Amino acid sequence: MDVDPRHYEQIAIKDSDIHNIVLSYLVHNCYGETLESFVACSGMPEPADYIEDMEKRKGIVRCTLEGNALKAVELTEQVACDLLENNKDLHFDLLSLHFADLVCAKKCTEALEFAQQKLTPFGKEKKYVEKLEDFMALLAYEEPEKSPMFHLLGLEYRQHVADKLNRAILAHTNLPSYTAIERLIQQTTVVRQSLNQDHGWDSTIFSERLSQRLGSGSD
């Protein structure tokens, strides 16, 4: 059945729906203090079951971002004992972060020994070989941060690993690995494409008006 997309403008967005979207974002990103303030201001019931989980995940993410990948591994094994055993990609990423930190600290002998003990076994699988070679190549540079593999040392890559780890822990504990706003954006993208194909309608109007509705609540 064909529906005029402008009819969607008549659909009311409840304040509670917006609150749940914000709550999902705060829980996902471990913004505990902001969550408490938001709950108090909005009158929502506090998600007590999430508080302890958030603090644990926050500590793990912080270790990953601050150059303490081995501590992140240890804490992850306490929260989800079999997660890294079953997710070798993530385990490799964390171990390689520690290797990179050793290289940057000019602890090349220690880095090489660590690689032989912890990273070399991953080389038995083809998918890890190229990335393993990139990390090992860092040892050849006096200033690895200026090498062609400099991106492996940057905050952006470290943030990428931290995000993957956070999502994996959430999924392991049967919580959504993506926030409500991320899912909403994904769904909106599909709707935009469908409207454009089926109706020849300017789908940017839909996105702009949806944003306006979310910003103003149900007013």
Side-chain angles (χ1 to χ4, degrees), residues 97-108 110-112 114-115:
L97 279 182
H98 179 67
F99 172 83
D101 289 334
L102 290 175
V103 173
C104 288
K106 307 300 182 183
K107 299 179 180 179
C108 295
E110 187 177 343
L112 187 57
F114 178 81

Side-chain angles (χ1 to χ4, degrees), residues 26 92 152:
L26 296 176
F92 175 83
L152 297 174

Side-chain angles (χ1 to χ4, degrees), residues 65-100:
L65 293 175
E66 295 179 354
N68 199 348
L70 290 188
K71 185 63 175 181
V73 170
E74 178 186 337
L75 294 176
T76 299
E77 290 175 343
Q78 293 175 8
V79 173
C81 61
D82 58 346
L83 173 59
L84 297 179
E85 181 180 347
N86 296 326
N87 192 330
K88 293 184 66 176
D89 291 353
L90 189 53
H91 196 192
F92 175 83
D93 287 341
L94 288 167
L95 294 177
S96 60
L97 279 182
H98 179 67
F99 172 83

Side-chain angles (χ1 to χ4, degrees), residues 5-6 82 90 98 103-104 109 117 119 127 138 141 143 160 202:
R6 283 178 286 273
D82 58 346
L90 189 53
H98 179 67
V103 173
C104 288
T109 300
Q117 295 174 5
L119 295 179
K127 67 176 180 177
L138 292 171
Y141 294 88
E143 297 180 284
H160 170 69
D202 186 356

Side-chain angles (χ1 to χ4, degrees), residues 11-214:
I11 299 176
I13 300 178
K14 299 178 181 178
D15 286 343
S16 60
D17 293 333
I18 298 176
H19 291 166
N20 284 328
I21 289 174
V22 175
L23 185 68
S24 168
Y25 177 82
L26 296 176
V27 169
H28 180 96
N29 292 288
C30 307
Y31 295 143
E33 293 183 3
T34 305
L35 173 64
E36 292 178 358
S37 298
F38 176 72
V39 167
C41 293
S42 64
M44 296 183 69
E46 184 171 330
D49 294 344
Y50 295 160
I51 301 299
E52 182 178 356
D53 168 75
M54 274 198 308
E55 289 305 310
K56 291 179 179 178
R57 284 189 294 110
K58 184 176 182 179
I60 293 171
V61 169
R62 183 168 55 245
C63 287
T64 306
L65 293 175
E66 295 179 354
N68 199 348
L70 290 188
K71 185 63 175 181
V73 170
E74 178 186 337
L75 294 176
T76 299
E77 290 175 343
Q78 293 175 8
V79 173
C81 61
D82 58 346
L83 173 59
L84 297 179
E85 181 180 347
N86 296 326
N87 192 330
K88 293 184 66 176
D89 291 353
L90 189 53
H91 196 192
F92 175 83
D93 287 341
L94 288 167
L95 294 177
S96 60
L97 279 182
H98 179 67
F99 172 83
D101 289 334
L102 290 175
V103 173
C104 288
K106 307 300 182 183
K107 299 179 180 179
C108 295
T109 300
E110 187 177 343
L112 187 57
E113 292 175 351
F114 178 81
Q116 291 173 338
Q117 295 174 5
K118 299 296 184 179
L119 295 179
T120 299
F122 287 92
K124 297 177 182 178
E125 295 187 41
K126 186 177 180 179
K127 67 176 180 177
Y128 296 114
V129 172
E130 183 176 353
K131 200 167 185 180
L132 186 57
E133 290 176 346
D134 286 344
F135 274 102
M136 294 301 296
L138 292 171
L139 288 168
Y141 294 88
E142 184 67 25
E143 297 180 284
E145 64 277 4
K146 296 182 180 180
S147 73
M149 288 70 65
F150 71 93
H151 62 281
L152 297 174
L153 308 175
L155 180 59
E156 184 176 350
Y157 178 72
R158 193 176 294 275
Q159 183 68 61
H160 170 69
V161 175
D163 288 343
K164 283 177 58 178
L165 180 55
N166 187 42
R167 294 185 195 281
I169 295 173
L170 284 165
H172 188 272
T173 54
N174 297 317
L175 292 172
S177 57
Y178 288 86
T179 65
I181 191 64
E182 289 174 309
R183 295 196 301 272
L184 180 60
I185 291 173
Q186 292 169 344
Q187 293 166 2
T188 301
T189 300
V190 173
V191 171
R192 287 178 57 188
Q193 294 172 346
S194 178
L195 289 173
N196 193 48
Q197 293 172 2
D198 296 345
H199 300 282
W201 190 58
D202 186 356
S203 57
T204 58
I205 297 176
F206 175 81
S207 297
E208 291 171 359
R209 291 178 178 172
L210 176 61
S211 297
Q212 291 171 0
R213 301 289 291 177
L214 288 174

